[in-house]
Amino acid sequence: MVHAESSTFAAGITKAQAYAQVLEQAAALMDGQRNWVFNLSNVASLLYHAYHSLSAPSNAVNWCGFYVLDHSVSARDQLILGPFQGHVACQTIKFGRGVCGTAAATKTTQLVPDVEQFPGHIACDGASKSEIVVPILKDEHCVAIIDVDCAEVEGFDEEDKKYLEEVAKLLAGGCDF
Ligand code: SME
């Protein structure tokens, strides 16, 4: 049963506890539900509320969501905007472009402490200062990416990388893309 309290996070919890709740609630919400639209939508909400329950810099997350593979193009080398929380964002990103396209093309997490230092960074929201992008891989193909932006530099660390990669694995196994 979907309940709004799933995305309520207690004040004062650690980052590890927040991500543990995200993973637990995501798995529960996805039980028997393989549609990527509502699974990614609910995970975007869980992550956004998790970050905002934490202290700085995590609580300065200003965008959190997904880009998914564009199945309408034959070359399959383009991401399109998926479910997210935050301000409106660019609709399409070619593989290899920006932080998202780099993560999709290289199939590796991009941890960017300062977006100004990332060649080709796509500035959807001028408030974003740091970013992490994690590819969601299925059968060794990138089917989507998780993108989280922070309004402070160095908003993300190795702990975020570790847990977001777990979220990516959960989504890869639990959704039909
Ligand atoms: N900054 C991203 C674009 C997506 S927005 O941050 C939502 C990039 O460089 O790929």
Side-chain angles (χ1 to χ4, degrees):
M1 173 65 97
V2 174
H3 199 286
E5 274 177 21
S6 303
S7 53
T8 300
F9 292 79
I13 59 174
T14 65
K15 194 189 278 190
Q17 288 170 323
Y19 276 118
Q21 183 175 335
V22 168
L23 287 160
E24 186 187 325
Q25 292 302 328
L29 288 162
M30 288 164 59
D31 187 31
Q33 306 282 358
R34 297 193 58 83
N35 185 290
W36 66 265
V37 176
F38 49 68
N39 284 341
L40 268 49
S41 301
N42 275 333
V43 172
S45 171
L46 286 169
L47 285 171
Y48 190 83
H49 289 288
Y51 292 122
H52 285 260
S53 75
L54 297 173
S55 51
S58 302
N59 60 3
V61 162
N62 60 318
W63 200 93
C64 167
F66 299 89
Y67 281 83
V68 298
L69 190 63
D70 183 355
H71 290 280
S72 71
V73 293
S74 55
R76 294 263 184 117
D77 65 346
Q78 178 166 276
L79 298 165
I80 54 173
L81 183 61
F84 70 95
Q85 305 266 314
H87 288 301
V88 296
C90 45
Q91 292 97 329
T92 63
I93 298 176
K94 287 271 185 211
F95 273 43
R97 303 289 299 277
V99 187
C100 295
T102 300
T106 62
K107 301 178 196 170
T108 57
T109 296
Q110 302 295 306
L111 179 50
V112 183
D114 180 354
V115 295
E116 303 264 329
Q117 305 302 318
F118 189 97
H121 166 257
I122 302 164
C124 288
D125 183 343
S128 299
K129 299 275 195 308
S130 56
E131 181 164 9
I132 185 167
V133 180
V134 178
I136 299 176
L137 304 175
K138 207 156 188 169
D139 300 327
E140 294 175 31
H141 294 290
C142 180
V143 291
I145 58 93
I146 306 172
D147 182 16
V148 192
D149 288 15
C150 182
E152 290 188 21
V153 292
E154 296 180 1
F156 308 100
D157 57 19
E158 289 296 322
E159 197 176 15
D160 294 289
K161 177 175 184 286
K162 176 185 139 191
Y163 283 109
L164 286 172
E165 287 177 351
E166 281 188 39
V167 174
K169 276 201 192 99
L170 179 73
L171 291 168
C175 300
D176 295 325
F177 284 93

